[in-house]
Amino acid sequence: MTTTSTTTASGGIDTLVLGRRIRHLRTARNMTLDDLGAAVGRAASQVSMLENGHREPKLSLLAVVADALEVPLAELLRTDPPSRRAAMEIELERAQRGPLFANLAVPPVKVGRSLPADALEALVRLQNEVQRLLTENAATPEEARRANAELRARMRAQDNYFPELEDHARRLLTAIGHPGGPLSQRSTADIAAHLGFSLHYVQDLPHSTRTVTDLANGRIYLPQGNPGFSDGRSPLLQAIASHVLGHAEPADYGDFLRQRVEANYLAAALMIPEDGAAPFLQAAKNERRLSVEDLRDAFAVPYETAAHRFTNLATQHLGIRVHFMKVHEGGTLHKAYENDGVVFPSDPLGAIEGQPVCRQWTARVVFTLADRFTPYYQYTDTPSGTYWCTSRVQTSSQGAFSVSVGVPFAHVRWFRGRETTERSASRCPEPTCCREAPPELAARWATQSWPSARPHASLLAALPVGVFPGVDTTEVYRFLDRHAPEQ
């Protein structure tokens, strides 16, 4: 599948800059597309795609191109645009491929030599001004969504793999003599003890918290009975992770999100250790039977934890690009990750949280099934390519959610469930795909109905005041006063 990304998967090459450098050097030598294509053994159309940033070339091809242009390879790989006009062209191309233009339904402009310089500059300034106004007018919830988008970009650039967190998990497991396999509740407590913490289960834990850590007295307070948790180890491991990673008071909401992702990652790395999971997954790939369910069962974790962990390890150890989705039964995207080119619905700021998911996608179709708890497999044809997904539904206090893991068609041969005949097609974000009601229904009801929406409160409310969003600090401090050991 051809990609329109501006960087390679590792974030090393900006294909738009690379393309403009090749075009600049070609035209400076009075070479046509046909000339360069003949010199490198490629069709002129392929060279054009390379120059327009629509293709991620192999280094071997770039070396041949550099020879044909009589420049060192390093000259092609420079990160600065070759001219001011090229810089503006790159900026406009990048904007047109981003969420701002897509959500405004602005038709793309062909960015080439025929576009007058004054028109190009006007378009670049216009899109910058629109982006500036969106930024200035963003209320607190929008700022939070922006921080989410930035964090998701970082995760994508690293293939959602954090080696330093894997090392932390490895050292902790070695310290308690963990033999491998599932991490028991007792082993979880052993990790806490190794770090100098005693565990205290209480009935009056502050309602806005999952756990409270008393650093002064070496105590971790947890709720009695683990209400609302699908796995009793998770809240304790996340509290331990924050301590191990030296998390301090968040400087802003972006810092808060980063800390949460790191704590969740380390907790999952402890429950599904890399040293055991990577060989397990590689063996499954060799036998063409990769399955999130098998990973879940092998390490005795909830399905969502296994799905998350699969995204951590799939690209790093298996060379498989992947995406993850958690979708509310109401059809809105709760959280997601991708490095496989799938295009999630997003707002003009690039945020995906709360956006409606196409009804044709596996994550929505699974809610229409009579059997919601058996894994469901489906191929979906989308404007960005064909994807295979596996999805299942889980319940929670906030309603039902589908948890989905998917891969591009090229990778499906490694997975159990690839033989499914279920297939759908999505034209989203084209409104006629599923966002607009069928004309006959709209004609009958558009002026005769008034639904009362039930959005998640987090989509509308401003973030609570305080260092830790959503936490009543006074309540926490009073709790600690009640339970602190007498001096």
Side-chain angles (χ1 to χ4, degrees):
M1 182 180 68
T2 299
T3 178
T4 58
S5 171
T6 61
T7 60
T8 62
S10 64
I13 300 177
D14 188 322
T15 56
L16 283 174
V17 174
L18 171 67
R20 287 318 192 273
R21 296 199 67 82
I22 293 174
R23 178 179 296 168
H24 176 79
L25 292 167
R26 174 178 62 79
T27 56
R29 286 156 178 74
N30 295 317
M31 296 177 70
T32 66
L33 287 170
D34 287 324
D35 293 337
L36 183 55
V40 300
R42 295 288 192 279
S45 59
Q46 292 179 296
V47 176
S48 177
M49 291 186 69
L50 181 60
E51 291 188 349
N52 287 314
H54 290 299
R55 175 154 297 176
E56 295 176 0
K58 295 181 179 179
L59 283 177
S60 56
L61 174 59
L62 290 183
V64 175
V65 172
D67 286 342
L69 296 173
E70 300 178 344
V71 296
L73 178 58
E75 179 68 18
L76 292 188
L77 299 178
R78 284 174 53 181
T79 57
D80 57 309
S83 66
R84 182 175 181 276
R85 179 182 173 96
M88 288 196 297
E89 289 182 354
I90 291 168
E91 187 172 357
L92 183 57
E93 282 277 18
R94 189 167 288 137
Q96 290 191 136
R97 300 178 191 186
L100 179 61
F101 271 66
N103 281 274
L104 293 176
V106 176
V109 174
K110 184 176 181 180
V111 183
R113 287 168 35 174
S114 61
L115 182 64
D118 56 348
L120 173 61
E121 186 162 358
L123 287 170
V124 169
R125 288 190 178 186
L126 181 60
Q127 74 90 14
N128 283 337
E129 182 65 13
V130 172
Q131 190 69 54
R132 183 187 67 80
L133 290 172
L134 280 171
T135 301
E136 287 186 354
N137 294 331
T140 303
E142 278 69 35
E143 292 173 3
R145 289 197 283 271
R146 186 189 303 279
N148 264 307
E150 292 172 353
L151 180 60
R152 198 159 45 84
R154 178 195 171 201
M155 294 165 67
R156 184 190 308 114
Q158 296 186 209
D159 292 327
N160 206 20
Y161 179 78
F162 293 76
E164 68 279 9
L165 300 181
E166 301 288 353
D167 288 341
H168 276 298
R170 192 173 289 110
R171 287 195 295 269
L172 286 172
L173 293 171
T174 300
I176 65 167
H178 180 60
L183 185 72
S184 67
Q185 190 77 37
R186 173 62 181 270
S187 295
T188 305
D190 288 343
I191 294 175
H194 167 71
L195 296 171
F197 288 103
S198 59
L199 306 182
H200 299 262
Y201 292 88
V202 297
Q203 294 182 333
D204 60 338
L205 194 74
H207 74 281
S208 59
T209 65
R210 303 180 76 204
T211 64
V212 173
T213 302
D214 179 349
L215 297 173
N217 298 293
R219 293 182 165 197
I220 298 178
Y221 294 99
L222 302 110
Q224 234 171 36
N226 282 325
F229 302 136
S230 57
D231 189 312
R233 297 165 296 175
S234 293
L236 173 56
L237 288 174
Q238 288 164 10
I240 289 171
S242 291
H243 172 73
V244 169
L245 297 174
H247 287 163
E249 292 183 353
D252 51 35
Y253 193 72
D255 198 28
F256 168 76
L257 290 178
R258 176 190 59 79
Q259 291 183 6
R260 187 176 66 174
V261 165
E262 290 177 350
N264 288 342
Y265 188 112
L266 181 51
L270 288 167
M271 288 192 286
I272 308 179
E274 180 180 28
D275 293 346
F280 176 86
L281 291 173
Q282 186 61 62
K285 180 186 178 186
N286 294 341
E287 297 177 10
R288 299 183 181 233
R289 56 172 180 80
L290 280 172
S291 166
V292 176
E293 289 80 13
D294 289 350
L295 184 64
R296 172 201 63 190
D297 296 342
F299 290 90
V301 296
Y303 184 85
E304 185 176 350
T305 301
H308 269 299
R309 194 67 175 129
F310 185 81
T311 70
N312 299 150
L313 304 174
T315 306
Q316 176 70 19
H317 290 282
L318 308 177
I320 294 176
R321 307 238 165 249
V322 64
H323 65 267
F324 166 91
M325 302 176 69
K326 184 176 181 180
V327 176
H328 187 259
E329 59 186 335
T332 55
L333 193 55
H334 187 69
K335 55 184 175 180
Y337 161 77
E338 53 77 24
N339 71 348
D340 62 356
V342 72
V343 179
F344 291 133
S346 68
D347 66 12
L349 299 177
I352 61 174
E353 292 73 22
Q355 295 298 306
V357 173
C358 179
R359 294 177 183 275
Q360 309 305 323
W361 284 17
T362 314
R364 291 288 303 277
V365 174
V366 70
F367 286 115
T368 68
L369 306 178
D371 180 3
R372 288 187 169 191
F373 302 100
T374 298
Y376 173 67
Y377 309 107
Q378 177 182 299
Y379 292 95
T380 308
D381 300 319
T382 78
S384 58
T386 297
Y387 295 87
W388 171 91
C389 290
T390 176
S391 185
R392 62 176 301 134
V393 174
Q394 62 184 30
T395 58
S396 76
S397 59
Q398 296 178 320
F401 289 88
S402 66
V403 174
S404 309
V405 172
V407 296
F409 183 81
H411 289 308
V412 71
R413 63 184 182 275
W414 310 116
F415 287 81
R416 180 175 293 164
R418 61 187 177 276
E419 67 282 352
T420 182
T421 58
E422 299 292 340
R423 196 176 192 112
S424 185
S426 167
R427 300 189 312 278
C428 280
E430 183 182 324
T432 57
C433 177
C434 65
R435 298 195 182 192
E436 292 181 355
E440 64 277 10
L441 288 177
R444 186 182 313 148
W445 294 109
T447 62
Q448 303 297 323
S449 61
W450 184 262
S452 179
R454 188 177 64 178
H456 292 295
S458 60
L459 297 180
L460 301 178
L463 293 175
V465 175
V467 173
F468 298 95
V471 172
D472 185 332
T473 308
T474 301
E475 185 183 17
V476 171
Y477 293 166
R478 287 175 176 166
F479 166 84
L480 289 171
D481 258 354
R482 288 196 304 273
H483 289 274
E486 296 183 3
Q487 301 300 323

